[in-house]
Amino acid sequence: MIQEMGKLYVVATPIGNLADITFRAIETLKSVDLIAAEDTRHVRMLLQHYGISNKIIALHQHNEDKAALEIVEKLRSGLSIALVSDAGTPLISDPGMPVVKAVHEANLTVVPIVGACALIAGLSAAGVAITPFTFEGFTPRTSSARKTFFSERAAISTTWIFYESCHRILDCLQDMATVLPPKRSIVIARELTKLHETIVKLPLAEMVTLVETDTNMQRGEFVVIVEGAAKIDVSDNTITPEQERILKLLLTECSVKKAVDLTVEITGGKKKPIYQEALEFSKSNTVLD
Ligand code: SAM
């Protein structure tokens, strides 16, 4: 008799509102032989809520490679396994990648059980251009790395999205404001599906002021959506504070032409407004010819 292989089910769970789970997800969590979870205590509470008792194994980021091999072995022996993370869709800024990859490499079957995902929920309600968009996961942790990260994306003409925590949302927006134009549209999708769900779309400068002044806007979980450059910056002749800083620094050492060319090269900005700013600055200050 040929042993039938088990399947790996990648099961999405709620991102806040416990009603946001599909019938198929519940059926799958009930019927599999094992549930592989990011945090066993967390998933136990979730399962309790739906009246599911099933065997749970831990899948931490630091044991994922080892766990991946064990999961493949279990699937080969005919067991079916559900993979869940703490919230939303596994693998989306969550553990699971080595497991899914190993299961594919073993020529076994992976079945997605669809459901909540914060970035898709945020995007669906943001009112910005959807295709194409880039999902960036979490931004770097330090301010200087974040500024570099944002300036590398300043000229991208399509929508980009990232996840942010309450600890860093304000610093993150303030860093962004040093690099991106003040009129760039930003959407904050906060506490999606929960009691204090808030979705706000504002120009960057106004968004920074809002988050600085309203401390509620610094609480909870965040999806940040940035509208692409070309769609809104075509007639935007302002330069960013970072471009201005670099330009003025260069004007103390180089000619106007050189300073403008270098600023464009470093920041990826448009030449015309930078040149305009250099002329204004040179009128009221002594600069090199
Ligand atoms: N796997 C999850 C998904 O499918 O969206 C994401 C997990 S990631 C570790 C957690 C981050 O997702 C949070 O820090 C926040 O940026 C975002 N997030 C999760 N739930 C959210 C919610 N209800 N509202 C807004 N953002 C949320």
Side-chain angles (χ1 to χ4, degrees):
M1 196 183 90
I2 298 170
Q3 167 77 55
E4 199 162 321
M5 304 288 180
K7 291 178 183 169
L8 178 74
Y9 297 88
V10 182
V11 182
T13 57
I15 55 169
N17 188 325
L18 289 174
D20 289 334
I21 189 161
T22 67
F23 291 124
R24 195 168 168 230
I26 291 179
E27 278 312 310
T28 305
L29 292 172
K30 275 184 185 161
S31 62
V32 288
D33 297 296
L34 278 177
I35 298 173
E38 182 184 2
D39 178 333
T40 52
R41 271 185 316 174
H42 191 100
V43 77
R44 201 160 274 126
M45 286 192 307
L46 188 80
L47 295 185
Q48 235 166 28
H49 181 85
Y50 303 113
I52 302 169
S53 53
N54 205 337
K55 195 170 170 212
I56 304 168
I57 55 170
L59 183 77
H60 306 296
Q61 242 149 12
H62 38 272
N63 77 1
E64 270 202 275
D65 289 330
K66 187 165 163 273
L69 298 177
E70 287 169 11
I71 284 176
V72 166
E73 279 320 300
K74 287 182 169 42
L75 295 172
R76 281 203 173 111
S77 75
L79 298 178
S80 58
I81 300 176
L83 172 70
V84 296
S85 61
D86 283 356
T89 303
L91 277 79
I92 308 298
S93 292
D94 265 342
M97 182 60 184
V99 174
V100 172
K101 192 161 170 262
V103 174
H104 276 287
E105 280 165 6
N107 281 324
L108 297 171
T109 306
V110 180
V111 183
I113 305 293
V114 301
C117 177
L119 86 102
I120 298 298
L123 196 55
S124 71
V128 299
I130 308 274
T131 44
F133 74 85
T134 310
F135 173 55
E136 304 281 2
F138 287 96
T139 59
R141 279 170 174 265
T142 65
S143 176
S144 67
R146 265 198 308 268
K147 284 180 186 164
T148 307
F149 173 89
F150 291 138
S151 52
E152 283 168 358
R153 284 151 186 80
I156 293 178
S157 61
T158 54
T159 300
W160 42 286
I161 303 172
F162 57 91
Y163 283 163
E164 196 49 275
S165 77
C166 55
H167 310 291
R168 285 197 295 270
I169 187 69
L170 181 57
D171 290 349
C172 163
L173 290 171
Q174 287 169 337
D175 287 342
M176 196 191 285
T178 67
V179 181
L180 262 55
K183 288 189 197 155
R184 181 69 68 87
S185 269
I186 307 292
V187 181
I188 283 190
R190 171 183 163 261
E191 291 292 85
L192 289 165
T193 77
K194 304 186 207 175
L195 184 62
H196 298 294
E197 179 178 87
T198 316
I199 300 168
V200 199
K201 183 178 184 185
L202 282 175
L204 174 57
E206 289 175 42
M207 187 66 90
V208 174
T209 308
L210 174 71
V211 177
E212 277 171 352
T213 51
D214 180 353
T215 50
N216 285 328
M217 284 298 289
Q218 299 170 24
R219 298 200 177 102
E221 299 190 283
F222 299 83
V223 178
V224 182
I225 301 170
V226 184
E227 229 173 3
K231 287 172 194 63
I232 52 155
D233 289 350
V234 174
S235 60
D236 186 356
N237 276 339
T238 55
I239 74 169
T240 69
E242 184 68 355
Q243 284 169 334
E244 189 179 332
R245 189 184 69 78
I246 291 171
L247 176 67
K248 288 182 179 167
L249 208 63
L250 289 168
L251 282 169
T252 63
E253 300 290 334
C254 318
S255 67
V256 168
K257 184 178 178 318
K258 186 85 189 155
V260 170
D261 286 348
L262 283 173
T263 306
V264 170
E265 201 177 315
I266 295 166
T267 65
K270 281 205 231 133
K271 190 165 183 174
K272 198 173 156 201
I274 293 173
Y275 186 65
Q276 202 61 44
E277 181 72 25
L279 290 183
E280 304 259 319
F281 184 73
S282 60
K283 267 190 227 155
S284 47
N285 297 270
T286 311
V287 296
L288 303 173
D289 288 331

